[in-house]
Amino acid sequence: MQEDRNLKYIKYSVVIAVIGAIVSLLIDYRISIGIVVGMVASISNYMVLSAQMTMILLNKRFQVFSYMIVYFVRFAILFVPLLLAVLRPDRCNVWAVFGSLLIFKVIMYIQGFRKKVL
């Protein structure tokens, strides 16, 4: 059931990102590239986090060193696309990357709020 919910969040996020990328392609290609790069980074970050939490729960022990390494990897997954967008604004829009990094989180909050209220 948890996997179905995670896939649903990913599907909603990807659909919104694809629609946003197609619409923004009519405006400027750099915005579309930023949306795609940010969405890939956001979903990669979530997958690494999910795998890490699953490993912690299955092993029933917490290893600080491995958690720290994976934390830095997750930080790099989010930081590198933003850094590249800042360094190369002729290729990618930094605001599009930032916005698409937030799409997945916003979808999760909306779905959680919807379940609590409805």
Side-chain angles (χ1 to χ4, degrees), residues 5-48:
R5 187 178 333 155
N6 294 341
L7 287 176
K8 184 169 66 171
Y9 295 152
I10 291 172
K11 286 179 187 176
Y12 286 148
S13 300
V14 169
V15 166
I16 290 172
V18 166
I19 290 171
I22 290 172
V23 169
S24 65
L25 190 60
L26 300 172
I27 299 169
D28 190 5
Y29 74 94
R30 292 179 291 246
I31 297 172
S32 296
I33 292 172
I35 290 172
V36 170
V37 167
M39 184 53 59
V40 168
S42 179
I43 291 174
S44 299
N45 177 47
Y46 181 73
M47 290 298 173
V48 170

Side-chain angles (χ1 to χ4, degrees), residues 1-91:
M1 177 159 160
Q2 184 71 17
E3 290 296 323
D4 294 338
R5 187 178 333 155
N6 294 341
L7 287 176
K8 184 169 66 171
Y9 295 152
I10 291 172
K11 286 179 187 176
Y12 286 148
S13 300
V14 169
V15 166
I16 290 172
V18 166
I19 290 171
I22 290 172
V23 169
S24 65
L25 190 60
L26 300 172
I27 299 169
D28 190 5
Y29 74 94
R30 292 179 291 246
I31 297 172
S32 296
I33 292 172
I35 290 172
V36 170
V37 167
M39 184 53 59
V40 168
S42 179
I43 291 174
S44 299
N45 177 47
Y46 181 73
M47 290 298 173
V48 170
L49 175 65
S50 179
Q52 180 185 24
M53 291 302 126
T54 302
M55 291 295 286
I56 289 172
L57 291 174
L58 289 178
N59 291 339
K60 301 209 187 298
R61 62 184 174 156
F62 181 76
Q63 297 175 345
V64 175
F65 185 72
S66 65
Y67 182 81
M68 184 177 63
I69 296 297
V70 174
Y71 180 79
F72 285 126
V73 168
R74 287 183 35 236
F75 181 75
I77 289 172
L78 297 176
F79 179 72
V80 168
L82 285 170
L83 179 67
L84 292 176
V86 168
L87 294 177
R88 299 297 305 259
D90 57 325
R91 303 258 188 231

